[in-house]
Amino acid sequence: QQHIWLTNRSSIDIDTLCVYFKALVNEKIVKMFRSQMFAGLKGVVRTRGRTHGGQKGKGGEKSWRTYSTQESSKSVRKGFNLKRLLVPGTGLCFGALFWSTSSKQTLDANENEDDDEPYKDWPVEEQALVFAPNVPPPITRNTPVKVKVTIPVTIEEKSIDGVHNFEFWTFGGHVPGPFIRTRVGDVLDVTLKNDDTSGMLHNLDFHAVTGPGGGAVVTTADSGSSKRAIFKLLKPGLFIYHCAVAPVGEHIGRGMYGLILVEPPGGLPRVDKEYYVLQSEFYLDEEPVDSQRHPGMKVYQMDEQKAMDEHPTFVVFNGSVGALTEGGQLTAKTGDRVRIYFGNAGPNLISSFHAIGTIFDDVYREGDLISPPAKSLQTTMVPAGGATVVDLDVPVPGTFTLVDHSIWRIEKGCVGFLRVDGPARPDIFWGNEPHRTCPDCKHHP
């Protein structure tokens, strides 16, 4: 039937012959050996010492061109049957098929790369992007799910302190990036969407992920493209994630980091308030340059020498000076228990995290959510690339100050406020004079 259909065509070319072979051989193999079939079929005609019309070639030269049905009939009358051409061609194709079994398997794997995707049947939980100082609500489910998150990469030029505009590289348009909340045993289904129009590569290195690069090797996305990856979350804890494209220090130093919480089985003890605070440093050039995105704006770029010398221009909470003081302060009521998910993105400095006027009741050091928490700590050390969880009770009203107790960093912007409202507690805190602060005090409002 295929032969009848073929010989009734007005012309017969190599593409038409491929249609015939597709009825006999897997289509993907035909694609792979298209050029080999073409060369092989020419060889079949030439070995007969005739041109396509059955005439002797001149000067030993043989020709190849399309067959018309009229010429094909003439060939048949002269004893040159098209079927005799198709049979050797089919044999060639089958020979290529058996000879290239491994190539076929590779092609199948490439064209059906999603066939082996794990956890296809798991329930999906779409997680909206939530940015500091807020966190997603606590997990109430008791079964693991596939947590699906899409994180866009953007370049943002904005003020870091009300005076200096800086070129931030961001996850989701904010510094720090979104807070991701999961539970141990969950699957993280993450898509990185690189909307950076400068042409730079970006990726995601999750300290919570077990595998090469923390996922960076499978999430590296070209400008204008997206990469999707799936990771099983095997260990509970509070973890940093960041971009790991070289030079890593620049991508982190421009704002590409965030926190991912992997709750332990059963979750964490309930509290009244939860907040997300992340410390980092910025290293600015001495002089700004003209913005490429906002005509008339002057923008500071990153000074790599300052970064290598570890001499930051700013040390801040949540991406900018005043992020937790000027209208962005944390709030609570007397009697609340407050939890702070605290991270240190660096890229260089160790943080001595301290809350002036209160004591950390429970401290999950270095993000360890398995061991019992440390009790009644004044200050906790958080290394670059590390995190901690602190719980504190606030029985007394007033403003409590978050600092890095490497105290000169206050002058570089590392300060935040927790404002607690409620009735006075003279049984805990009393003075015979009204509250008084020193002039221009940055840490006692």
Side-chain angles (χ1 to χ4, degrees):
Q1 290 176 345
Q2 289 290 333
H3 178 70
I4 294 170
W5 169 82
L6 192 64
T7 53
N8 285 336
R9 303 272 299 178
S10 59
S11 66
I12 305 170
D13 56 18
I14 187 63
D15 289 315
T16 308
L17 293 175
C18 283
V19 173
Y20 177 80
F21 289 131
K22 286 176 188 177
L24 305 174
V25 186
N26 186 295
E27 179 181 350
K28 285 173 282 200
I29 302 304
V30 173
K31 289 180 180 178
M32 181 181 293
F33 294 105
R34 192 183 187 92
S35 59
Q36 287 93 326
M37 284 196 298
F38 182 73
L41 290 171
K42 287 197 292 183
V44 170
V45 176
R46 288 175 177 174
T47 56
R48 295 183 175 277
R50 297 179 181 275
T51 63
H52 70 281
Q55 302 297 321
K56 290 284 185 180
K58 296 179 181 180
E61 294 181 357
K62 313 298 185 295
S63 65
W64 174 272
R65 59 189 177 88
T66 56
Y67 282 86
S68 70
T69 52
Q70 181 179 0
E71 291 170 328
S72 176
S73 299
K74 189 184 299 181
S75 298
V76 171
R77 285 197 301 271
K78 292 190 176 187
F80 185 72
N81 194 335
L82 180 62
K83 184 176 181 180
R84 298 179 68 185
L85 170 65
L86 295 176
V87 171
T90 305
L92 174 65
C93 191
F94 272 113
L97 170 64
F98 293 118
W99 177 73
S100 304
T101 301
S102 60
S103 298
K104 176 184 182 299
Q105 291 171 344
T106 301
L107 183 62
D108 287 344
N110 291 338
E111 293 197 1
N112 299 290
E113 58 185 6
D114 291 337
D115 287 352
D116 61 350
E117 177 186 314
Y119 309 107
K120 282 185 175 181
D121 299 329
W122 277 39
V124 174
E125 181 180 281
E126 297 271 357
Q127 189 164 120
L129 300 186
V130 177
F131 296 97
N134 302 309
V135 300
I139 293 172
T140 57
R141 54 182 166 78
N142 295 315
T143 57
V145 301
K146 184 158 60 175
V147 179
K148 199 165 188 176
V149 181
T150 299
I151 302 177
V153 171
T154 63
I155 305 300
E156 306 289 338
E157 294 177 337
K158 52 188 177 183
S159 177
I160 197 170
D161 67 339
V163 177
H164 300 80
N165 296 314
F166 184 66
E167 184 181 275
F168 294 92
W169 302 352
T170 79
F171 290 129
H174 295 258
V175 177
F179 189 100
I180 302 171
R181 190 166 200 156
T182 64
R183 183 167 286 180
V184 65
D186 282 349
V187 168
L188 178 64
D189 183 341
V190 62
T191 298
L192 182 71
K193 187 171 181 288
N194 188 354
D195 293 331
D196 178 356
T197 57
S198 71
M200 281 185 294
L201 300 173
H202 295 287
N203 61 24
L204 287 162
D205 173 353
F206 289 98
H207 290 193
V209 164
T210 303
V217 297
V218 291
T219 58
T220 301
D222 294 304
S223 177
S225 71
S226 297
K227 285 296 179 70
R228 177 173 170 251
I230 293 175
F231 309 116
K232 186 71 177 289
L233 301 173
L234 305 177
K235 306 289 186 181
L238 181 64
F239 301 95
I240 290 280
Y241 68 85
H242 59 85
C243 183
V245 170
V248 180
E250 180 166 18
H251 287 251
I252 295 176
R254 287 183 177 271
M256 302 194 79
Y257 41 74
L259 286 179
I260 176 170
L261 172 65
V262 184
E263 293 184 2
L268 292 167
R270 288 308 191 109
V271 294
D272 300 293
K273 293 278 190 174
E274 292 186 315
Y275 291 110
Y276 168 23
V277 178
L278 202 152
Q279 179 175 326
S280 61
E281 313 114 48
F282 292 94
Y283 302 82
L284 273 61
D285 280 337
E286 294 299 324
E287 298 295 333
V289 297
D290 291 332
S291 168
Q292 300 297 312
R293 295 171 175 80
H294 302 97
M297 178 187 285
K298 294 289 186 179
V299 176
Y300 286 84
Q301 297 294 331
M302 184 175 180
D303 188 322
E304 292 186 4
Q305 190 59 53
K306 283 184 182 179
M308 288 188 287
D309 293 339
E310 301 185 5
H311 295 156
T313 312
F314 298 102
V315 183
V316 300
F317 293 142
N318 289 355
S320 64
V321 176
L324 296 180
T325 58
E326 301 167 3
Q329 54 195 329
L330 312 181
T331 62
K333 295 180 180 179
T334 53
D336 282 350
R337 171 161 279 217
V338 178
R339 176 170 294 147
I340 298 175
Y341 298 103
F342 183 85
N344 179 14
N348 292 320
L349 304 180
I350 295 172
S351 174
S352 302
F353 184 49
H354 174 74
I356 299 174
T358 189
I359 298 164
F360 298 142
D361 291 276
D362 290 338
V363 178
Y364 300 85
R365 284 175 165 155
E366 300 185 31
D368 174 6
L369 302 181
I370 299 175
S371 305
K375 300 287 186 178
S376 300
L377 297 189
Q378 58 186 321
T379 302
T380 188
M381 302 290 288
V382 185
T388 190
V389 181
V390 300
D391 292 352
L392 56 145
D393 295 326
V394 286
V396 175
T399 300
F400 301 86
T401 308
L402 309 179
V403 297
D404 178 343
H405 216 292
S406 297
I407 210 70
W408 277 108
R409 294 174 188 171
I410 292 176
E411 305 303 321
K412 294 188 174 185
C414 198
V415 60
F417 297 145
L418 167 62
R419 191 188 76 239
V420 179
D421 297 321
R425 288 291 305 272
D427 59 316
I428 298 176
F429 186 87
W430 179 86
N432 67 346
E433 294 287 341
H435 294 188
R436 179 186 177 188
T437 59
C438 52
D440 300 320
C441 182
K442 293 182 179 179
H443 56 283
H444 290 146

